[in-house]
Amino acid sequence: MPTSSWFIPSLLIIAVLSYLIGSLNPSIIMSRLLYKEDIRTKGSGNPGFTNFKRVYGNHFSSYFVLFLDSAKTLLPVLLSGFLLGHFFGSPSTVNSSFLYTTDYIYQLGC
């Protein structure tokens, strides 16, 4: 592990940015932009790719949601790898289980 004075602050900044990037939910954003609806009020109420595809069909927008959902986890990991030399992305994956930005605490698997 590098011991330079910038490593720990950079790691904390990347952890916060990773968590914030992970808090973006593409299915909520796309349903509001494209269909002027909230995906959480349709289908199973789960704001995820499967419900988005079930409600809005097998269109390009469904697969774009899947791409964005995957990219929001991959982006912080690659960003930390390029900036720090170490791949670090656990805050973005933690946020997939415990979202605070969608009006309620949304816990998967509970």
Side-chain angles (χ1 to χ4, degrees), residues 11-92:
L11 188 63
L12 292 175
I13 290 170
I14 288 176
V16 170
L17 286 176
S18 297
Y19 189 82
L20 292 175
I21 290 171
S23 71
L24 299 174
N25 192 321
S27 61
I28 293 174
I29 294 169
M30 294 294 285
S31 68
R32 288 193 180 181
L33 287 177
L34 295 177
Y35 302 105
K36 308 293 189 248
E37 297 175 337
D38 189 356
I39 190 67
R40 296 172 290 179
T41 62
K42 303 286 183 187
S44 66
N46 185 352
F49 165 72
T50 303
N51 191 39
F52 189 92
K53 185 178 175 188
R54 188 182 307 127
V55 170
Y56 298 119
N58 195 12
H59 300 288
F60 175 76
S61 61
S62 297
Y63 293 103
F64 193 61
V65 166
L66 179 64
F67 170 75
L68 291 175
D69 214 14
S70 302
K72 77 176 186 179
T73 301
L74 185 61
L75 181 67
V77 173
L78 293 178
L79 181 68
S80 68
F82 289 126
L83 294 179
L84 299 177
H86 297 282
F87 292 103
F88 178 76
S90 58
S92 64

